[in-house]
Amino acid sequence: MRPELDAAQARLADEVDRVLDAAPPGTDPLALFARLGAERLLAVHYPAAFGGRGLSLAHHVAAAERMGARGLPDVIHIVTVQAVGGALLAFGSAEQQARWLPKIAAGRLFGSLLLSEPGAGSDSAAIRATATPDSGGWRITGVKTWSVSTDRSGIALCSARTRAGRSRYDGISLFLLDLTDPAIQMTPVPRALGDPYFEVTIDGAYVGPDALVGPLHRGWSLLPSTIGFERAGFECLSRATSWMRATETEFHRLPRAARAAAAGDLVRLRAQVAGARALAFHAMHTADVLDVDEVLIAYSKLACARAGQAVARWAGEELAPTPELSAAVDEAPELTISGGPQELQLDLIATDFPIGRAVR
Amino acid sequence: MNLDLDDDQRNLLGAVRTALLAVSPAGSGWAVLRQAGVTATLADGGLVEWCLALEELGASCHDITTVRAAFAFLDAHPGEKLPDVVPSAQPATPTTDRDLLLCAAYGVGLGRECLEVAQDRAADRVITGRRQIEYQGTSHRLAESALDLALARIAVWHAAWYEDRGRPAGHAAPAAAAASVAAALTCAHTLVQAFGAAGTSDPDVVRRYRGAYALTELCGSPRSLWQAAGERWLAAAPAST
């Protein structure tokens, strides 16, 4: 048991600080990722041959947490390095790994997930997009939605049906798409709260045989590992931590009597964030690239999301609005929706026998 | 950063659980642990080890007096590494942060037992052709309670870990107790609800339910504990902020 970073994790976090401190003020976040990539800090859990340092996921999250704390957009990093890069690392061919992972680890290529479809919500098996054999490769057609940061991405991991299948989970395959293909069009779906989602229309985009990631027809079984890290809730944790800091700053501006009256609430929120952080780090400590405990991940995601929401709600109710706290109030509902809605996590936790097994 | 127990801690847990299997329904878990020599091992351990044992007592015996027995045992063994920083507390309540954390650990165990029994009941019971646990009204309540309990356990473990290293956060013990008592109460209510009308008369359910409320008598209400934690935190906050 260890409630704080170990020495190696702390050193990585310090290295992230040094790289970011050395960048000129106002440097674009994507350029900052490239600077971190140049120091092999963006994906330290990748093998050295692919631009990493061959360390564990637990080391990686220590570096990633610091990136989030310094204001880098977590979603880009989590989806690119963990989801897309992680899928390639785990299931990609040697050629795919050699071609794509060094660019991802260098912070010079970003990726998106094209899994959800209109009307299907979080049911990733409800796939109507198709990939049909064509000239030795595949021609992909369909519409994907709820994709994030797609406008900044060069590639995307896309699910499509490659045969009717004996069940709804059979016959799903994963492909790596080049988002610069003119047969792929993306349309922002504006939101009043937060950055836009993207709806992506794929109109007969051709991909070669080397675009298939993992086994043909059996891509469904790869998805939990692919999106497992996203579902650990680190992007929620980053927001919870940042919102907690902003909340404390405003709390300390309250009159003395108001601070005294609300101090118990502040400590409760701090404990909630700290507990969520412990669960998230533990989930990654016990995971490797291929294997995560789905139930532990559910606890982690739910705890991180709820912590962020609790902080945002308290701040929205009790403190004068500031730009950051207002943004927190706006973004908070999404935390229990994106990356797997909370209903899925609650079901996983409730049906794990004996209940609580995964967290003790 | 992780929640893994080390080998010694896992061995201790195994010894505690084995010993507690011998407790008769009306017997004292604490007496059994003493007879099995587990308390002697604990006397050499840190607060984390004590908290692990107390969670098992809470889960297995449902006897709140074991917490007081643990206090008495600790007080009779001077030289232990545990701090004693709240001398002004009322005599009938925990007198130190160490005691508060032991109560909190016991509460985590009690809550754990409540949830496991509730889950078993919901998995076995069939209502209008479906297992009760298939209804989200039941399953989600179980899961919400389990999450609260997991966070309470982490708060207890972390507070004890820092105490053992001589770096206690002043507010951590009351905060952990607040989280634990609140979680135990939530789990006890979930247990009664899972049993339906039977839960209001089943003696085992009622004992656990009352046990959770006994924690509020021993430690204080969650609200008062959070406030106490908040006052300590505020007192330690930098003056400039």
Side-chain angles (χ1 to χ4, degrees), chain B residues 57-227:
Chain B
L57 280 167
S60 302
C61 297
H62 333 301
D63 176 4
I64 198 74
T65 61
T66 58
V67 179
R68 290 195 175 96
F71 296 166
F73 179 85
L74 281 166
D75 291 338
H77 290 74
E80 75 276 9
K81 302 181 286 290
L82 309 175
D84 186 350
V85 295
V86 193
S88 61
Q90 295 299 310
T93 61
T95 56
T96 66
D97 278 8
R98 174 204 70 194
D99 296 351
L100 256 188
L101 285 174
L102 294 181
C103 285
Y106 182 93
V108 169
L110 178 63
R112 184 182 108 195
E113 174 73 355
C114 287
L115 285 190
E116 290 185 4
V117 172
Q119 187 193 40
D120 281 344
R121 166 79 171 185
D124 290 340
R125 190 178 177 200
V126 175
I127 301 173
T128 61
R130 292 168 65 192
R131 293 188 308 153
Q132 185 184 348
I133 202 169
E134 293 173 24
Y135 293 95
Q136 291 192 331
T138 294
S139 65
H140 286 189
R141 185 168 182 168
L142 278 169
E144 301 275 10
S145 306
L147 180 62
D148 286 351
L149 193 67
L151 294 173
R153 180 185 290 109
I154 289 168
V156 171
W157 284 7
H158 283 188
W161 191 89
Y162 281 110
E163 293 269 1
D164 281 344
R165 278 150 188 79
R167 295 190 278 144
H171 64 278
S180 167
V181 175
L185 289 167
T186 299
C187 295
H189 278 270
T190 298
L191 171 64
V192 175
Q193 186 67 34
F195 272 69
T200 61
S201 53
D202 183 307
D204 287 336
V205 172
V206 170
R207 188 182 72 239
R208 289 167 182 131
Y209 181 80
R210 289 190 173 143
Y213 277 92
L215 281 169
T216 66
E217 295 169 18
L218 200 60
C219 302
S221 70
R223 187 190 58 77
S224 67
L225 287 163
W226 283 124
Q227 193 56 29

Side-chain angles (χ1 to χ4, degrees), chain A residues 280-302:
Chain A
F281 270 84
H282 184 63
M284 291 300 103
H285 167 74
T286 58
D288 60 30
V289 173
L290 288 170
D291 188 22
V292 293
D293 182 332
E294 279 286 296
V295 182
L296 178 54
I297 289 285
Y299 275 97
S300 170
K301 170 69 197 303
L302 201 53

Side-chain angles (χ1 to χ4, degrees), chain A residues 153-230:
Chain A
S153 299
I155 56 174
L157 190 69
C158 176
S159 57
R161 287 213 169 271
T162 42
R163 71 179 180 194
R166 287 161 290 187
S167 74
R168 64 197 299 262
Y169 304 109
D170 179 44
I172 295 172
S173 302
L174 300 180
F175 295 90
L176 206 57
L177 304 188
D178 177 353
L179 290 179
T180 62
D181 185 330
I184 299 173
Q185 297 295 322
M186 62 185 79
T187 308
V189 180
R191 291 191 294 160
L193 313 177
D195 289 337
Y197 286 115
F198 286 87
E199 182 166 283
V200 178
T201 301
I202 310 162
D203 186 13
Y206 178 80
V207 296
D210 58 344
L212 178 69
V213 178
L216 184 63
H217 307 315
R218 290 188 282 126
W220 170 257
S221 63
L222 312 184
L223 285 178
S225 298
T226 303
I227 57 181
F229 187 90
E230 182 190 12

